Amino acid sequence: MQAIGSGYQNFNSYNNYPSVRNNATFGRQNMEEDNSVQNFAISAGGLGVASLLLQRASKYLGDQLMAGKEFTSPENVKKVADNMVKDAALKDVLVEYIDHSNKGKFGRDMAQALEPVAQGQNAFYLDRPILHEGKKVKLAVAPEAKPSLMLHELGHAVNSSKGKFMQFLQKSRGWAMGIPTALLVLNGLMGKDKDGKKNFVEKNAGLIGFGAFLPTIIEEGMASLRGIKAAAKANLGKSANLNVLKRNYALAWGTYVLAGIGLGVAAKQSVISSN
């Protein structure tokens, strides 16, 4: 979403269009150019506003997630996490709750990556093995202050063990973020249709951008569902409130939906700006 919001800068270069007073043909052309500039301004302005609203909405959901209460005790979360590791045979996955006292235990490079986790601002599953105490392990980490996020991260670990299709869904986010640039290049190569109308890329850039992020949205939702299912299976009784966990995971999933919409906005804006 960093690429969103540059439309106004591009629009400034269109302000000084020429005026032709005495030639009716040129006058009609100039009117068409004026309309084109106005349409560009409206489109760019709308996308810029959409980008800002999406960023604010995503921040709101994230703040609500991190400020929300936990569905059960840290001890119960650890019990569910251990069950997930055992049931899915995740022998090489190391579960670790991170705070400022232990963020450096995996080395200097990982300490930098774990700083946001220690601050309670992130959680992640690292599918790439790292060397720890003489063994190659994959990390599933969550903040000490927000342990229930661990169940979602272990959901990613389970997804990763379910075959090539699930692995494709996980890895798709790597190339999805390059979609706005790819569409920009493709739109330039295709040019206008023979009748002068918009080509396929120009018409559908927003949908293509969102579609590219859709596998990530699906995989994130499945990871959360696995965590909820594991928590329900653990039979924690009255000491757990699964509705709280579902609410928190719904907030988290909402940020990915907004990110997908944001990628669609970025893709649309890149194509509009190029024209």
Side-chain angles (χ1 to χ4, degrees), residues 35-213:
N35 290 335
S36 177
V37 171
Q38 291 173 3
N39 291 337
F40 176 84
I42 293 172
S43 298
L47 292 173
V49 171
S51 169
L52 181 61
L53 292 176
L54 287 169
Q55 291 178 39
R56 290 184 176 180
S58 182
K59 183 179 184 303
Y60 173 78
L61 293 182
D63 290 345
Q64 290 294 306
L65 167 65
M66 301 312 295
K69 63 181 182 179
E70 289 288 86
F71 82 103
T72 191
S73 68
E75 293 76 19
N76 281 340
V77 174
K78 183 64 165 60
K79 176 183 175 181
V80 178
D82 289 343
N83 288 342
M84 291 183 73
V85 170
K86 180 181 178 180
D87 292 345
L90 303 174
K91 298 178 180 179
D92 59 345
V93 176
L94 180 62
V95 175
E96 195 74 31
Y97 298 105
I98 302 297
D99 58 22
H100 289 289
S101 68
N102 67 353
K103 64 182 180 183
K105 68 181 297 182
F106 300 105
R108 182 179 300 177
D109 292 340
M110 281 303 301
Q112 193 172 21
L114 290 171
E115 176 61 27
V117 183
Q119 294 178 1
Q121 299 173 350
N122 195 19
F124 63 82
Y125 166 64
L126 183 65
D127 192 46
R128 173 180 56 83
I130 64 170
L131 190 63
H132 176 63
E133 297 181 350
K135 297 180 180 180
K136 288 186 176 182
V137 298
K138 299 176 181 179
L139 281 181
V141 296
E144 182 75 34
K146 201 73 177 175
S148 66
L149 296 182
M150 179 61 72
L151 307 184
H152 171 85
E153 300 311 323
L154 287 175
H156 285 305
V158 175
N159 285 346
S160 183
S161 70
K162 294 296 183 181
K164 293 184 178 180
F165 177 70
M166 293 304 305
Q167 292 172 8
F168 161 76
L169 293 183
Q170 289 184 327
K171 294 178 180 179
S172 66
R173 76 181 68 198
W175 52 262
M177 302 312 294
I179 286 295
T181 301
L183 291 181
L184 176 64
V185 174
L186 185 58
N187 182 59
L189 292 174
M190 292 180 67
K192 294 287 185 181
D193 286 347
K194 292 181 180 180
D195 57 4
K197 295 182 179 180
K198 297 178 180 179
N199 61 43
F200 177 82
V201 170
E202 191 173 354
K203 290 178 182 177
N204 300 286
L207 289 175
I208 295 172
F210 178 78
F213 202 73

